[in-house]
Amino acid sequence: RRARLGDWRRYLGAAFSGDAAYSTGFASPVSGEAVLDLGKVLYACSVKLNGRAAGRELFGPFTFAVRVRKGLNRLDITVSNTLANAISPDRVERHWAHRCPPVSPYESRQRAFERESLASGLFGPVRVILPV
């Protein structure tokens, strides 16, 4: 399914925790070393350019040294969110609270953090800074 940059919950559902793949092509007027800046990513990603791994990053900055080729380049980005989306729905929280009652005050603080961490995806802006 095609998606725009931004929060993927509208495409994949609010409870989706996992990976989503983004792909695009772009033309470069030159070949050489460049910097790929993904902007905002929630929360981790791996990047391939022209089929070659360019790196992985967690919590940013989401910048990668890449080698572009003159002409068409293919960019593939896999973004992973956290488990917060899968465990945050009220029914899931009630289920686990019944099976495993909280044992420390940290758990309620963690739940508050999880609710603030539900936005997921590649937000960008995505930029390729070409060699001069």
Side-chain angles (χ1 to χ4, degrees):
R1 177 179 233 196
R2 288 193 172 267
R4 297 181 188 267
L5 294 182
D7 194 343
W8 70 32
R9 290 179 292 173
R10 66 180 168 222
Y11 302 105
L12 300 175
F16 176 79
S17 289
D19 302 331
Y22 298 79
S23 298
T24 192
F26 66 92
S28 173
V30 297
S31 63
E33 300 300 318
V35 174
L36 172 65
D37 182 350
L38 299 183
K40 182 178 177 182
V41 175
L42 295 177
Y43 281 89
C45 69
S46 62
V47 175
K48 287 184 178 181
L49 182 62
N50 299 321
R52 298 188 63 179
R56 300 171 186 218
E57 194 58 63
L58 173 66
F59 297 118
F62 297 98
T63 57
F64 303 87
V66 295
R67 180 162 186 80
V68 297
R69 59 184 176 210
K70 186 174 182 176
L72 189 59
N73 290 266
R74 172 122 178 127
L75 177 61
D76 296 294
I77 304 164
T78 301
V79 174
S80 305
N81 66 351
T82 69
L83 283 175
N85 299 71
I87 63 177
S88 288
D90 289 339
R91 65 179 171 69
V92 175
E93 191 170 337
R94 284 191 305 273
H95 170 80
W96 285 107
H98 174 73
R99 287 191 70 178
C100 305
V103 294
S104 79
Y106 173 76
E107 290 183 49
S108 62
R109 292 185 4 214
Q110 177 63 26
R111 286 293 184 182
F113 170 77
E114 289 164 358
R115 285 188 190 96
E116 294 170 2
S117 304
L118 299 178
S120 304
L122 175 59
F123 288 75
V126 176
R127 301 180 309 137
V128 178
I129 304 161
L130 296 171
V132 183

